[in-house]
Amino acid sequence: MRTLSPEILIFTLTMADLGEADEAELQRMVAAEQQKAQFTAQVHHFMELCWDKCVEKPGNRLDSRTENCLSSCVDRFIDTTFAITSRFAQIVQKGGQ
Amino acid sequence: MEGAFGSDFGGSGSGKLDPGLIMEQVKVQIAVANAQELLQRMTDKCFRKCIGKPGGSLDNSEQKCIAMCMDRYMDAWNTVSRAYNSRLQRERANM
């Protein structure tokens, strides 16, 4: 999924006939929306992975085991990201392939 | 001034555009795109959970399963969203 796409951003900034102050404010507001869109895109991504891991047959509500699994899934994915980033940096530093 | 998506970008007679109104349009576009994304992924997941061997039509149990699945998917979305937000705040606090 795209976050706030570059096309929207470029269209907004180049097509607009704005004064300097207005353009700065617009850039600030677009940056805020971009950050929100990035958050949402990440949640979609987590759902992609964590739904399969944590939810069996959909019932009348999510039980606490499922809720804990979903929360843990998010944290463990982030931990995995850190682990891979740091180990990869070590590998690259040692001149490995 | 008419925008590319057929919406009014809030231009006055002088040709100056209002950032606030532009942003309202942008926010709507983003919300629409997000809803489409949500529906597409929800449909995928609930099809996998609820439909076994595809028959001639959706039977009653399959339809009930789909309805429950949609609700649970949105519950899960909220849970994941809260967990991610908490983690982001924890990481910021540690910086």
Side-chain angles (χ1 to χ4, degrees):
Chain A
M1 172 198 175
R2 304 171 308 171
T3 54
L4 179 55
S5 70
E7 299 92 74
I8 296 177
L9 175 57
I10 291 166
F11 171 80
T12 305
L13 293 179
T14 58
M15 295 301 285
D17 174 21
L18 301 166
E20 255 179 49
D22 276 355
E23 184 164 330
E25 195 197 345
L26 187 63
Q27 272 179 330
R28 193 184 46 77
M29 289 195 278
V30 165
E33 285 306 314
Q34 222 161 358
Q35 203 173 39
K36 279 191 233 168
Q38 235 169 354
F39 180 89
T40 304
Q42 268 291 26
V43 176
H44 278 305
H45 187 208
F46 289 135
M47 283 296 289
E48 196 59 41
L49 298 165
C50 301
W51 173 268
D52 293 339
K53 285 198 183 293
C54 296
V55 180
E56 293 175 28
K57 206 110 178 93
N60 286 313
R61 40 174 272 285
L62 292 182
D63 63 26
S64 55
R65 198 176 70 169
T66 309
E67 299 243 339
N68 289 335
C69 179
L70 289 165
S71 293
S72 298
C73 179
V74 172
D75 276 321
R76 298 299 75 76
F77 182 87
I78 292 172
D79 291 342
T80 304
T81 306
F82 286 150
I84 288 182
T85 306
S86 73
R87 183 153 194 279
F88 188 72
Q90 289 172 9
I91 291 170
V92 164
Q93 200 179 37
K94 285 182 187 153
Q97 234 63 335
Chain B
M1 173 184 163
E2 192 79 1
F5 309 108
S7 52
D8 179 12
F9 276 84
S12 64
S14 68
K16 282 209 78 192
L17 297 165
D18 178 358
L21 277 164
I22 292 174
M23 283 313 297
E24 284 315 302
Q25 304 294 344
V26 170
K27 284 180 193 176
V28 165
Q29 304 290 349
I30 292 172
V32 165
N34 184 44
Q36 283 177 331
E37 187 80 21
L38 183 72
L39 283 178
Q40 194 183 317
R41 290 168 183 262
M42 183 192 285
T43 302
D44 210 85
K45 294 300 188 192
C46 292
F47 180 82
R48 286 175 206 251
K49 289 277 187 224
C50 293
I51 280 76
K53 205 148 168 79
S57 66
L58 293 178
D59 65 35
N60 268 329
S61 68
E62 284 169 334
Q63 292 192 28
K64 275 189 193 141
C65 178
I66 289 169
M68 277 200 294
C69 179
M70 288 177 66
D71 290 343
R72 300 297 75 75
Y73 192 87
M74 289 187 278
D75 290 341
W77 170 273
N78 289 333
T79 300
V80 166
S81 192
R82 277 193 304 265
Y84 185 42
N85 196 41
S86 298
R87 180 61 185 262
L88 284 176
Q89 289 184 341
R90 254 178 286 144
E91 294 299 327
R92 279 189 204 125
N94 288 339
M95 281 205 296

